[in-house]
Amino acid sequence: MKSSIKIVAGNSNRPLAEAIASYLDVPLARCQVKRFADMEVFVELQENVRGEDVFVLQSTSFPANDHLMELLIIIDALRRSSARRITAVIPYFGYARQDRRAAGRTPISAKLVANLITEAGADRVLTLDLHAGQIQGFFDIPTDNLFAAPVMVRDVKERLPGGNRMVVSPDVGGVVRARALAKRIDAPLAIVDKRRERPGESEVMNIIGDVEGRSCILVDDIIDSGGTLCNAADALLANGAKEVYAYITHGVLSGGAVSRIANSKLKELVITDSIQPTHAVALAKNIRVINIAPLMGEAIGRTATESSVSSLFD
């Protein structure tokens, strides 16, 4: 790896940053990110970065605003310290669900965050499984959206061998993602169609596809409260599915989500470490975390050497 690469980590996911640095055989740059008494963020780079190719690793996960400010201030510090190129590596891009105006008088916060990162001084962005692919167009700088699919495919083939697997999209909007995984593992596809006939009535889940006797694999990019996923698992089992697994890239798991998953009929929830797992996640018997450091590290290495990143997913 080029000696001119520097990797700077914020506080959002230090273990992932250390694993990526280890994969690349590059030490993390010395950088102090701390808070003043009033919780203002202060950043001090403790080594020279002039003329360097710098990668800033920071997921904008909970607390999202604190971690976003850390990212912006680190980028600003690097720009003012004459770094040659600054790449914001954001395994989990917060605010991605606010990618359009769903109602009147509402913001498009994903675009605002993209503007903030660009104006802070980032030269390019590297992220993983954006909630909506069009967010790449919100940036006026080069943006690479990586996919966790190769990591998940490898895990599925190791853990769930056999021909009765079926990939399921938990909603109509996630069909493209689910179809891509189904193609990679040579499995059929089913869709959970959610609808509420009238306001105030409970949601009805219809299954499009024959899941009878199948090991179903629910696929999505984000799990937050876990309610939709648990309801989808119940609907699949009610329609004759043998067992239900879930492979989700970003384990937001807010509120009582971990408890909800632990007490659900899901055989197993598999998430990546794009967001640092909490202690509750580590204790949950049916939640497993897979590592994305090799994928992110390889993409960073290819970016540094100006090699193809998209060929990682061919």
Side-chain angles (χ1 to χ4, degrees), residues 59-78:
S59 283
T60 50
S61 50
F62 176 84
N65 298 332
D66 286 12
H67 288 152
L68 175 59
M69 281 305 299
E70 280 187 17
L71 174 63
L72 298 175
I73 293 171
I74 291 170
I75 291 171
D76 183 73
L78 288 166

Side-chain angles (χ1 to χ4, degrees), residues 155-189:
D155 192 82
V156 168
K157 288 180 175 178
E158 288 174 1
R159 299 270 180 163
L160 297 170
N164 73 331
R165 299 175 301 204
M166 182 172 238
V167 175
V168 182
S169 173
D171 54 43
V172 174
V175 170
V176 173
R177 181 180 295 104
R179 186 187 293 121
L181 184 72
K183 185 177 180 182
R184 283 173 176 262
I185 65 171
D186 192 25
L189 176 69

Side-chain angles (χ1 to χ4, degrees), residues 11-221:
N11 291 326
S12 71
N13 197 340
R14 189 83 182 187
L16 177 60
E18 290 171 351
I20 291 172
S22 176
Y23 177 86
L24 292 168
D25 197 22
V26 174
L28 286 176
R30 296 190 305 279
C31 176
Q32 187 178 48
V33 183
K34 64 179 185 180
R35 301 285 191 279
F36 289 125
D38 63 353
M39 297 310 290
E40 274 189 15
V41 177
F42 174 74
V43 171
E44 182 182 6
L45 300 166
Q46 297 177 321
E47 60 183 77
N48 181 36
V49 295
R50 184 178 295 273
E52 302 279 15
D53 191 5
V54 186
F55 294 83
V56 184
L57 275 87
Q58 179 83 329
S59 283
T60 50
S61 50
F62 176 84
N65 298 332
D66 286 12
H67 288 152
L68 175 59
M69 281 305 299
E70 280 187 17
L71 174 63
L72 298 175
I73 293 171
I74 291 170
I75 291 171
D76 183 73
L78 288 166
R79 180 171 62 88
R80 296 177 189 278
S81 302
S82 301
R84 176 172 59 85
R85 182 173 71 169
I86 304 165
T87 302
V89 182
I90 312 171
Y92 171 66
F93 185 84
Y95 286 99
R97 285 172 283 182
Q98 297 185 49
D99 64 316
R100 67 194 186 284
R101 295 188 69 196
R105 298 176 296 282
T106 56
I108 304 178
S109 302
K111 171 59 177 169
L112 172 61
V113 171
N115 288 346
L116 289 169
I117 291 168
T118 304
E119 288 300 315
D123 296 297
R124 64 183 305 129
V125 169
L126 190 65
T127 187
L128 177 72
D129 273 342
L130 278 172
H131 181 65
Q134 66 266 22
I135 293 172
Q136 294 171 84
F138 292 179
F139 288 93
D140 294 324
I141 53 177
T143 303
D144 289 308
N145 181 29
L146 308 180
F147 304 103
V151 181
M152 292 181 175
V153 166
R154 193 179 310 118
D155 192 82
V156 168
K157 288 180 175 178
E158 288 174 1
R159 299 270 180 163
L160 297 170
N164 73 331
R165 299 175 301 204
M166 182 172 238
V167 175
V168 182
S169 173
D171 54 43
V172 174
V175 170
V176 173
R177 181 180 295 104
R179 186 187 293 121
L181 184 72
K183 185 177 180 182
R184 283 173 176 262
I185 65 171
D186 192 25
L189 176 69
I191 304 166
V192 179
D193 175 40
K194 297 179 295 184
R195 62 182 65 189
R196 187 175 279 111
E197 296 298 335
R198 281 178 290 277
E201 288 192 0
S202 61
E203 205 168 49
V204 177
M205 291 197 168
N206 299 310
I207 309 299
I208 303 171
D210 184 9
V211 299
E212 184 77 35
R214 297 277 191 174
S215 292
C216 291
I217 305 167
L218 285 159
V219 179
D220 212 346
D221 64 318

Side-chain angles (χ1 to χ4, degrees), residues 129 148-149 151-156 158-160 181 216-223 229 244-253 261 266-274 277 281 284-292:
D129 273 342
V151 181
M152 292 181 175
V153 166
R154 193 179 310 118
D155 192 82
V156 168
E158 288 174 1
R159 299 270 180 163
L160 297 170
L181 184 72
C216 291
I217 305 167
L218 285 159
V219 179
D220 212 346
D221 64 318
I222 295 173
I223 176 170
L229 206 68
V244 181
Y245 298 81
Y247 278 75
I248 314 291
T249 306
H250 307 298
V252 175
L253 296 170
I261 294 296
L266 273 172
K267 183 104 172 181
E268 187 176 51
L269 166 65
V270 181
I271 57 175
T272 76
D273 55 353
S274 64
V281 168
K285 293 181 179 178
N286 63 341
I287 302 179
R288 184 163 54 87
V289 181
I290 54 178
N291 186 250
I292 54 161

